[in-house]
Amino acid sequence: QVQLVESGGGLVQAGGSLRLTCAPSGLSVASLAMGWFRQAPGKERDFVAAISWDGTTTSYSDSAKGRFTISRGNAKNTVYLQMNSLKPEDTSRYYCAAGSYYSTTYSLSQQERYSSWGQGTQVTVSS
């Protein structure tokens, strides 16, 4: 398994933007599918966005569509989540995950696809 480190979280006002970064520690994630998930206190962890190993396919939750953009760095070893037009309901802890580059069983949006998870970064959006 690869160790993942998230950064870029913080406190922002509603309507503002943040960019989250996920970088591996040790092994490369260039050949892995990558996803962002979030979990608020007392709630289940939910899918936010995901990107295929080669960056050609992306997937977004309904709440993220049109506001968030997932991308990979030039070497495909770093993954970003650009979050615009943030809302108080986006307040959560955001987790980066790495998973199999190919699966016939699980889609990019399913948590079962991912075997490595970071510790998360807190995003708080004030109204």
Side-chain angles (χ1 to χ4, degrees):
Q1 292 185 346
V2 61
Q3 290 185 325
L4 302 171
V5 180
E6 303 98 333
S7 61
L11 174 64
V12 63
Q13 288 188 334
S17 299
L18 284 174
R19 188 175 84 154
L20 305 183
T21 299
C22 175
S25 175
L27 300 177
S28 170
V29 297
S31 62
L32 300 177
M34 300 294 294
W36 286 97
F37 295 78
R38 67 187 185 187
Q39 186 171 23
K43 295 188 176 181
E44 294 185 350
R45 186 166 58 189
D46 292 329
F47 169 71
V48 178
I51 189 166
S52 60
W53 72 274
D54 58 359
T56 60
T57 302
T58 57
S59 178
Y60 295 94
S61 65
D62 288 343
S63 63
K65 282 178 185 175
R67 299 188 301 128
F68 295 2
T69 302
I70 188 170
S71 62
R72 307 189 75 125
N74 288 338
K76 296 184 173 58
N77 203 36
T78 303
V79 178
Y80 305 101
L81 184 67
Q82 178 67 43
M83 305 188 295
N84 299 327
S85 302
L86 283 162
K87 306 174 182 179
E89 50 264 44
D90 294 317
T91 294
S92 195
R93 191 162 186 86
Y94 285 71
Y95 296 89
C96 175
S100 174
Y101 79 103
Y102 178 76
S103 175
T104 59
T105 306
Y106 301 114
S107 69
L108 284 172
S109 65
Q110 293 179 286
Q111 298 188 39
E112 293 85 351
R113 177 82 172 257
Y114 301 91
S115 56
S116 297
W117 295 80
Q119 295 298 306
T121 185
Q122 179 67 34
V123 171
T124 303
V125 184
S126 63
S127 58

